[in-house]
Amino acid sequence: MAESAVAAVLSKFGELAASEAKILLEVGDNMMLLRDRLEWLQAFIRDADRKRRTGTDGLTRVWVRWVRQTRDVAFEAEDALDEFFYEVELKRHGYHGWKMWRKYLTGFWNQVIIRHVFSARIKRINRRLKKISENQKEYKIEHTPLATLTSSTTATSAWWDGYENAVGFQDDVRALQQMLLQRDHPQQMFISIFGDSGVGKRTVVHNIYHNRKVTDHFKIRVSYRMTEDSTTEDLLKRIYDEAHKGRQEPQHDNGMLIGDKLRFLLAERRYLVVISGLSCKTMLNRVRASLPDDNNGSRVVLILDIESEEVAWHANTMNNQGINGVHQLSRLDEKRSGQLFYSRAFRKEQSGRKEDMSKYNKIVYDITGGYPLAIVVLAGLLRFKEKPGQWEAVLQQLRLGPGMEEEQDGVGSKIVQAILSKEKSIEWQTRPAVRANMSTKRTIERVFWASFEDLPNDLKSCFLYLAAYPKNVIMHANITVFMWIAEGFIKPQKGKIMEEIGHNYIKELVLRCLVQVEEMNAAGIITKISVHKSLHGFLHSEAHEAGFIEVHDIHDAFVPPSVRRLSYQSLEGRFTIFTNKFHKLHSFICYVEYRSIYSTGLSKKYCHDLKFLRWSKFLRLISVRGLRLDRLPDEIGDMVHLRYLRVECRNLKKLPSSIRRLLNLQTLDIRNTQVEKIDPCFWQIKVLRHVLADNLMLPETIKEELDELQTLHGVKPAEEGGWDPLNCPLHKMTRLRSLELHGFKRSEHKAALESALTRMHLLGNLKLQGDKIPSCVFTGQHLQNLQIVVLDGTVKWPEAGWDVRKVRPNLVELTVVKHSSEDVPQHIKDELRDMLKETIAI
């Protein structure tokens, strides 16, 4: 996918044009020529890439070579732009260190040298692009965009149907719900749902889990998706933590084993525990031993792949004799396939139309083989198409049989041929069932690919980026959007902030059924997402093939020095010490599970480090989770490109003072660390957008206006000194949209906070924990955008007659915690409950 490489370079032109317009003009016309040639070539890349994927004739290898050549030149151009920007930033901001040549960089001759070297590199790149353009004609690569792969409608205006959409699975939902709510069977019951990947197991369970009858029936509900190499302790600990949420008493750690603690917590409470991915009978036995059976109708639901059928029947032996808790899901028949397709292909307001759609039932069934995952992805693709013209074209392309591709398009399926080449034995050829199964896999691959190819370039990069996360991991939507912004994937739109555009991207991926919603807040904003493991495998393959991102783990530790994006994943809790110098690295993402690092009994002196990143001067993004890291290298301040820094490491207590030099930093995320202080000059970074911490002290004053800052979480006033009500640091953050503040105890803190809140007219999320909550939270006229409020402290409530609809028209959720609920007047409870109903937690 050379498109992403070219798109990345073109986005750099926008960044440079905004910040270095004068210098770019002085470089000459070569820059404009480079941009024009890249834009021209981009029109041909998609066609060549399509032929590369599906080609069967003699030109396929030539197309592969041409696409890769174009990608490599795009990478070279990106490197040239990054180097130029790096030198300009060092000169502009007066970076010092290595005194001799750094001082030399500040003079007039340095500007001449920078422009000369840069101009020479751009000329060389332009010559290469000219040769590639000539080859494009020789290789007969033409710009012939397919109507089938061009989106013509915007479907994001009609939003998600939520958990209630179980079309095609009604019988399964009814059967499982009956088992869950079976009152004549009070004994603990294990219910197993198993089947092939993509047959809708999690869809069915999600629908039941969020059903009103189920939520009312069970006092405690816990859902946990196991990752690869998860241990029983991980599982039990996560169940315990989830079950303990919302309870007022603290978690006690008195030496009890986790199984005993869990049994004690759940005793005499009717619970529902949903576990996905458990594949070991011995682990299941330990889970059963840790869950109490108090004859109150508690249930345990297991979501299992077909390979774990043995576990399902083993779980069934734990139930009383005569009780069958095993439910197998299989592919849908033609009628139900059509129903599911229709429910996802149309917006809600179109669902009532009486147009006959039965003519598509057989076509959809033939293409997808009745696999729900393939059905919804196909529906998500056609949701963005005009009917009937583009619908017919897409379906016709996907219906083509194995022998028809060359006749129709001169193309076949490279991915499918690779699959089939492994199955050429005589035995395989004489097994029709296996042949049919492989044929279905071929078609599902084509559905995935067609949906992927239909994405716009920027959205395609965003989707590919999700391959940086391990399989079966739930991702936070906000974090994902912040990373997309730092990478430069999101295109600005007039009248919208970048974060809003990013969340619209997520919505579109959800509507296309490429991403699944795991959690939404009361305001209807997506907070957690995931990718189905089958689609994750597809993403991983595409990202690797395109050179978009390199994914490695402890078993595959060799990383090429030329890597541009590196994702290191370890669910075993182990980290590799890299010895290479990654001079071209732009992004480093490290996802390591906490459990092994903090339970292996390693010496406190043993720590990981990130010293290998000192040589990666082009880094735009660093995201590190789970390492035993107690410090960051001082050289991090020289990474002038850095936009995003996330360090989620429990041993980290201090940030280097050089962080103040990261003048392009947009996001700092130091949650789950022990960091409490930061260099005061950090707050002079004008482009800061998001600061997330647990216990970070704000200074007494801040000089600069932080007009870009939207998120400020986990901060508190400094312990020494106070806040001037007329000049507290929050006065410089008037465009905040989300504020979470704690530790305000002094009267001057309250006065300063109240003064600052009256200026935050964009604030939508507010969490306050302190002695006295300002009354303006409910009465101030400038907080009418507030949607979600969490209060922990003494609240001065409004007088009788207060009308929440007028003062807080957007409020959808209010949570009052601990002792605060005792002080809520009855007229306030009535007013809020009448409006918010089930969303209030008082």
Side-chain angles (χ1 to χ4, degrees), residues 676-687:
E676 295 190 16
K677 295 183 179 180
I678 197 168
D679 191 294
C681 293
F682 167 80
W683 299 104
Q684 297 179 18
I685 301 177
K686 295 183 178 181
V687 298

Side-chain angles (χ1 to χ4, degrees), residues 145-177:
L146 298 178
T148 59
L149 297 179
T150 305
S151 297
S152 59
T153 62
T154 301
T156 53
S157 57
W159 186 216
W160 187 54
D161 292 338
Y163 297 108
E164 298 178 0
N165 190 346
V167 176
F169 300 101
Q170 294 93 329
D171 293 340
D172 300 292
V173 169
R174 277 193 293 269
L176 290 167
Q177 187 171 310

Side-chain angles (χ1 to χ4, degrees), residues 771-790:
D771 285 351
K772 293 184 179 181
I773 305 297
S775 60
C776 69
V777 171
F778 295 105
T779 60
Q781 295 299 316
H782 296 85
L783 296 176
Q784 295 202 1
N785 285 320
L786 270 182
Q787 294 180 308
I788 298 175
V789 177
V790 180

Side-chain angles (χ1 to χ4, degrees), residues 173-227:
V173 169
R174 277 193 293 269
L176 290 167
Q177 187 171 310
Q178 184 177 0
M179 282 192 276
L180 287 178
L181 305 178
Q182 191 173 351
R183 297 188 180 275
D184 59 353
H185 184 78
Q187 295 84 6
Q188 179 192 65
M189 183 190 300
F190 282 80
I191 301 170
S192 300
I193 305 171
F194 76 96
D196 289 328
S197 177
V199 296
K201 301 185 293 292
R202 292 190 62 250
T203 299
V204 171
V205 173
H206 263 275
N207 184 273
I208 298 171
Y209 189 81
H210 294 276
N211 181 276
R212 178 67 177 272
K213 293 181 179 179
V214 173
T215 58
D216 291 343
H217 184 73
F218 293 98
K219 188 175 182 67
I220 294 177
R221 293 180 306 130
V222 177
S223 179
Y224 178 56
R225 185 186 307 182
M226 299 186 65
T227 56

Side-chain angles (χ1 to χ4, degrees), residues 188-422:
Q188 179 192 65
M189 183 190 300
F190 282 80
I191 301 170
S192 300
I193 305 171
F194 76 96
D196 289 328
S197 177
V199 296
K201 301 185 293 292
R202 292 190 62 250
T203 299
V204 171
V205 173
H206 263 275
N207 184 273
I208 298 171
Y209 189 81
H210 294 276
N211 181 276
R212 178 67 177 272
K213 293 181 179 179
V214 173
T215 58
D216 291 343
H217 184 73
F218 293 98
K219 188 175 182 67
I220 294 177
R221 293 180 306 130
V222 177
S223 179
Y224 178 56
R225 185 186 307 182
M226 299 186 65
T227 56
E228 296 177 358
D229 301 318
S230 291
T231 67
T232 308
E233 283 70 23
D234 296 331
L235 172 59
L236 297 179
K237 181 66 165 61
R238 185 60 63 89
I239 295 175
Y240 178 83
D241 291 341
E242 291 294 319
H244 197 277
K245 282 184 178 179
R247 298 181 61 80
Q248 294 297 322
E249 67 269 17
Q251 297 188 28
H252 298 288
D253 188 4
N254 52 8
M256 294 174 63
L257 296 176
I258 185 61
D260 296 331
K261 292 170 62 177
L262 181 58
R263 194 182 309 108
F264 179 80
L265 176 66
L266 298 180
E268 304 300 330
R269 294 182 174 94
R270 184 187 296 137
Y271 58 82
L272 170 62
V273 175
V274 177
I275 306 172
S276 175
L278 191 150
S279 58
C280 175
K281 291 191 292 184
T282 56
M283 187 179 293
L284 177 60
N285 291 337
R286 290 192 58 187
V287 170
R288 182 197 184 191
S290 302
L291 299 176
D293 183 4
D294 296 316
N295 288 326
N296 58 7
S298 294
R299 300 289 186 260
V300 180
V301 177
L302 306 177
I303 305 175
L304 305 169
D305 286 335
I306 194 69
E307 296 84 2
S308 302
E309 181 178 355
E310 183 182 7
V311 176
W313 292 109
H314 178 69
N316 199 51
T317 64
M318 299 176 179
N319 298 328
N320 284 359
Q321 190 172 3
I323 298 296
N324 181 17
V326 177
H327 187 90
Q328 181 176 5
L329 285 182
S330 38
R331 292 179 289 171
L332 304 181
D333 57 25
E334 183 178 311
K335 180 181 178 180
R336 291 195 297 158
S337 295
Q339 291 173 346
L340 177 59
F341 170 79
Y342 181 67
S343 71
R344 298 300 180 92
F346 289 93
R347 300 188 288 274
K348 284 183 178 180
E349 64 270 19
Q350 296 175 307
S351 60
R353 299 193 318 183
K354 296 182 179 180
E355 180 182 357
D356 181 20
M357 294 294 297
S358 59
K359 62 181 180 179
Y360 290 110
N361 288 4
K362 186 176 189 312
I363 300 174
V364 170
Y365 181 76
D366 289 343
I367 289 174
T368 64
Y371 275 101
L373 178 61
I375 294 171
V376 298
V377 172
L378 176 60
L381 169 61
L382 294 180
R383 186 185 182 107
F384 288 77
K385 300 297 174 193
E386 292 181 352
K387 191 169 69 64
Q390 291 186 343
W391 274 47
E392 298 291 350
V394 172
L395 294 173
Q396 177 63 21
Q397 180 183 346
L398 293 173
R399 286 180 71 189
L400 295 176
M404 297 172 61
E405 283 98 334
E406 281 191 59
E407 297 175 14
Q408 297 278 345
D409 291 330
V411 294
S413 176
K414 181 182 176 183
I415 297 175
V416 170
Q417 287 184 356
I419 296 174
L420 294 177
S421 66
K422 299 178 181 179

